[in-house]
């Protein structure tokens, strides 16, 4: 069994760190008004296409206004590593993402320039562009998303246990880009599966079909636009308990959808955290970072089925520790269905024993006494969802927990 852990490491150069500290000191002690319009063309980097995310929505994105109106947003723009920017399209809030840290994008460009087969995409070798389509990028895409979990330090998008139905997975992408030159389309596709596949997942699982994700607005060069999905879930830690119960119900509904809604594939999120979930004005949770995901093809050939294929994969790893999220990617891929999404939500967000250290007591902390008396099974259901119990099915426990929370919320509203 392979245990997969996520580690986010942010590195700063010493000179940059000193400058940041200096600016923060100035900001704290001096009231400075900042109002800087960021040129959207600079963020887009269209000149790096076709090794980019696409250009079909450039007219839309270039009308988005990105303004740095306080010292925090200015510092984030100059020194932030996440490359996420808030903008406005007329009165609507939108989120712009470059999908990777600056250092990661630089490394990607360096790789293009050093790889003999990909040098035609390097902007330092423009003269080689005529040899561009000797590479089969469709095959590179397949190879990337079905590669072993051990081949790189990121899981990103993985399709398993085979790539036989990859065209079904990408059907929405083909429809949307049917007018685009096929070679350019597959270069864009390969760039995304290499850097960050989030835009692909937002189109495979569109918000318009009820999936709990932001609406995808489009791409232009090396930037994408999404709808603003709401405030981070962490801001609701001290919200009234009933409202938090409503949010958790939507999280458990999302677990069910990612696991069961699509008849062809199961989608298992491997990077669930406070940073990756937002809550809209209706108290519905949305997953705003889909970079790391395992897609299980539910309809594989008999010869590709493991001995355990028709059994529900249950995470039996029992480690009582904060901020640890052990699971086996290979085990998930060897089963048609997995309880992983329920496990992730209950363990990381709900369990008082193992939830994120930023959520003391779990997101449903301080359950009111009258609710505990009326619904004595509530705490047990949370624990049964978070921890393996050979006598209980975690998915059933998670669904039961959602039904109970819905009943409580309905009675209180």
């Amino acid at each position: 069994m392979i245990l997969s852990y996520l580690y986010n490491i942010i590195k700063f150069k010493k000179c940059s760190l000193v400058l940041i500290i200096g600016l923060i000191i100035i900001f704290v002690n001096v009231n400075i008004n900042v109002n800087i319009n960021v040129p959207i063309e600079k963020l887009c980097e269209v000149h790096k296409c076709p090794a980019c995310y696409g250009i079909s929505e450039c007219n839309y994105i270039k009308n988005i206004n990105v303004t740095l109106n306080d010292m925090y947003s200015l510092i984030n723009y100059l020194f932030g590593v996440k490359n996420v920017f808030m903008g406005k399209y007329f009165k609507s809030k939108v989120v712009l993402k470059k999908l990777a840290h600056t250092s990661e994008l630089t490394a990607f460009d360096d790789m293009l320039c050093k790889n003999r087969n990909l040098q035609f995409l390097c902007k330092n070798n423009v003269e080689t562009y005529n040899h561009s389509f000797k590479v089969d990028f469709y095959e590179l895409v397949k190879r990337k998303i079905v590669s072993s979990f051990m081949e790189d330090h990121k899981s990103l998008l993985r399709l398993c246990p085979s790539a036989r139905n990859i065209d079904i997975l990408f059907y929405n992408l083909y429809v949307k880009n049917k007018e685009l030159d096929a070679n350019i389309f597959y270069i864009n596709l390969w760039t995304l599966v290499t850097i960050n596949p989030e835009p692909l997942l937002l189109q495979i699982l569109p918000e318009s079909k009820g999936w709990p994700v932001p609406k995808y607005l489009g791409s232009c060069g090396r930037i994408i636009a999404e709808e603003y999905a709401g405030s981070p879930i962490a801001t609701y830690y001290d919200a009234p308990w009933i409202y938090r119960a409503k949010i958790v119900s939507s999280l458990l509904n999302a677990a069910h959808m990612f696991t069961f809604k699509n008849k062809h594939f199961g989608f298992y999120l491997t990077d669930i955290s406070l940073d990756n979930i937002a809550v809209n004005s209706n108290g519905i949770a949305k997953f705003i970072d889909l970079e790391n995901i395992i897609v299980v093809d539910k309809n594989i050939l008999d010869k590709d089925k493991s001995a355990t294929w028709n059994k529900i994969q249950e995470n039996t790893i029992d480690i009582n520790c904060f901020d640890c999220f052990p699971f086996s990617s290979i085990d998930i891929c060897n089963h048609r269905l997995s309880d992983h999404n329920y496990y992730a939500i209950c363990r990381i967000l709900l369990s008082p024993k193992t939830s994120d250290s930023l959520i003391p007591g779990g997101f449903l902390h301080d359950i009111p006494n009258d609710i505990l008396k009326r619904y004595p099974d509530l705490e047990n259901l949370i624990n049964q969802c978070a921890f393996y119990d050979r006598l209980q099915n975690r998915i059933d426990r998670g669904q039961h927990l959602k039904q109970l929370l819905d009943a409580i919320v309905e009675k209180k509203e």
Side-chain angles (χ1 to χ4, degrees):
M1 183 177 290
I2 300 194
L3 304 184
S4 305
Y5 299 90
L6 298 179
Y7 300 95
N8 294 319
I9 303 173
I10 299 175
K11 297 180 180 178
F12 291 97
K13 293 180 179 179
K14 184 181 293 185
C15 60
S16 297
L17 183 59
V18 171
L19 185 54
I20 290 173
I21 293 173
L23 287 172
I24 291 174
I25 292 173
I26 293 173
F27 174 58
V28 171
N29 292 283
V30 181
N31 185 17
I32 299 178
N33 291 320
V34 178
N35 192 20
I36 301 174
N37 289 319
V38 177
I40 195 72
E41 291 81 3
K42 181 179 178 181
L43 294 178
C44 291
E45 298 184 291
V46 177
H47 65 281
K48 292 185 176 179
C49 292
C52 65
Y53 314 144
I55 59 172
S56 62
E57 300 300 324
C58 282
N59 288 336
Y60 170 82
I61 288 179
K62 287 179 180 179
N63 286 318
I64 295 175
N65 181 36
V66 180
T67 302
L68 310 177
N69 51 21
D70 55 43
M71 205 62 181
Y72 173 80
S73 59
L74 176 60
I75 292 173
N76 183 62
Y77 173 69
L78 294 174
F79 306 105
V81 294
K82 290 189 174 182
N83 280 322
V84 177
F85 309 93
M86 295 298 300
K88 275 196 172 182
Y89 182 74
F90 295 103
K91 293 184 178 181
S92 300
K93 287 184 179 180
V94 297
V95 178
L96 298 174
K97 296 182 177 181
K98 291 186 72 66
L99 297 178
H101 298 176
T102 300
S103 60
E104 293 172 321
L105 294 171
T106 300
F108 175 76
D109 288 330
D110 289 343
M111 179 273 292
L112 295 179
C113 296
K114 292 176 182 178
N115 187 309
R116 180 177 298 179
N117 294 324
L118 301 174
Q119 280 182 344
F120 68 90
L121 294 174
C122 173
K123 292 299 109 175
N124 297 332
N125 297 294
V126 178
E127 68 277 4
T128 66
Y129 190 78
N130 290 334
H131 302 286
S132 58
F133 303 126
K134 291 183 178 179
V135 179
D136 188 339
F137 281 92
Y138 176 73
E139 286 302 318
L140 289 184
V141 168
K142 287 177 64 176
R143 191 183 309 166
K144 185 70 178 176
I145 70 172
V146 299
S147 60
S148 167
F149 293 95
M150 300 298 291
E151 287 187 9
D152 55 43
H153 69 286
K154 297 180 185 177
S155 62
L156 293 179
L157 171 63
R158 289 291 186 265
L159 173 63
C160 63
S162 78
R164 189 175 71 93
N165 292 319
I166 189 173
D167 291 331
I168 296 176
L169 181 67
F170 288 156
Y171 175 78
N172 290 349
L173 303 173
Y174 294 148
V175 171
K176 185 173 182 180
N177 294 280
K178 61 184 178 182
E179 304 298 329
L180 185 64
D181 178 90
N183 292 308
I184 298 297
F185 168 72
Y186 284 118
I187 294 175
N188 294 162
L189 193 61
W190 172 78
T191 301
L192 284 168
V193 298
T194 302
I195 294 176
N196 186 330
E198 179 176 326
L200 306 181
L201 271 302
L202 292 178
Q203 295 171 82
I204 292 169
L205 310 174
E207 177 269 348
S208 61
K209 299 295 184 180
W211 291 95
V213 299
K215 182 179 180 180
Y216 180 64
L217 301 175
S219 61
C220 180
R222 288 275 181 89
I223 203 158
I224 68 162
E226 303 172 2
E227 72 165 343
Y228 174 71
S231 301
I233 192 172
T235 62
Y236 294 90
Y237 175 75
D238 289 321
W241 192 89
I242 288 296
Y243 197 75
R244 283 184 278 130
K246 182 178 181 180
I247 294 172
V248 171
S249 173
S250 73
L251 287 170
L252 294 169
N253 184 59
H256 188 271
M257 292 181 68
F258 285 125
T259 306
F260 295 103
K261 180 178 171 67
N262 190 295
K263 66 180 181 180
H264 299 290
F265 305 99
F267 301 89
Y268 298 100
L269 283 63
T270 60
D271 187 15
I272 291 178
S273 69
L274 291 178
D275 294 335
N276 297 339
I277 302 173
V279 178
N280 68 15
S281 57
N282 295 319
I284 306 300
K286 292 196 174 187
F287 291 80
I288 58 175
D289 188 337
L290 298 178
E291 179 179 1
N292 303 97
I293 194 165
I294 297 172
V295 182
V296 176
D297 185 347
K298 297 177 181 178
N299 303 302
I300 60 174
L301 299 175
D302 287 341
K303 68 180 183 66
D304 295 324
K305 294 178 180 178
S306 67
T308 60
W309 179 252
N310 290 317
K311 297 179 181 179
I312 296 178
Q313 187 268 335
E314 297 177 297
N315 193 315
T316 61
I317 303 170
D318 189 9
I319 303 176
N320 281 341
C321 62
F322 285 104
D323 298 333
C324 63
F325 182 34
F327 62 90
S328 169
S329 304
I330 293 176
D331 207 16
I332 292 172
C333 288
N334 281 330
H335 295 76
R336 187 175 184 274
L337 291 174
S338 170
D339 67 5
H340 174 84
N341 289 325
Y342 286 91
Y343 162 76
I345 288 171
C346 292
R347 184 181 184 90
I348 295 174
L349 302 177
L350 304 186
S351 172
K353 298 178 181 178
T354 60
S355 58
D356 191 303
S357 58
L358 298 176
I359 323 175
F363 194 69
L364 287 177
H365 63 89
D366 297 325
I367 303 173
N369 289 330
D370 64 317
I371 290 177
L372 280 176
K373 289 179 180 179
R374 188 175 180 86
Y375 306 97
D377 286 342
L378 183 55
E379 291 181 308
N380 287 334
L381 286 172
I382 293 173
N383 286 329
Q384 290 167 355
C385 183
F387 298 98
Y388 174 70
D389 183 342
R390 66 184 183 87
L391 299 178
Q392 301 287 348
N393 180 298
R394 179 181 278 121
I395 294 177
D396 287 343
R397 297 294 87 192
Q399 291 177 331
H400 190 180
L401 175 60
K402 182 192 181 308
Q403 292 169 0
L404 185 60
L405 292 172
D406 288 343
I408 296 172
V409 170
E410 184 179 357
K411 195 170 188 65
K412 288 288 184 178
E413 286 184 339

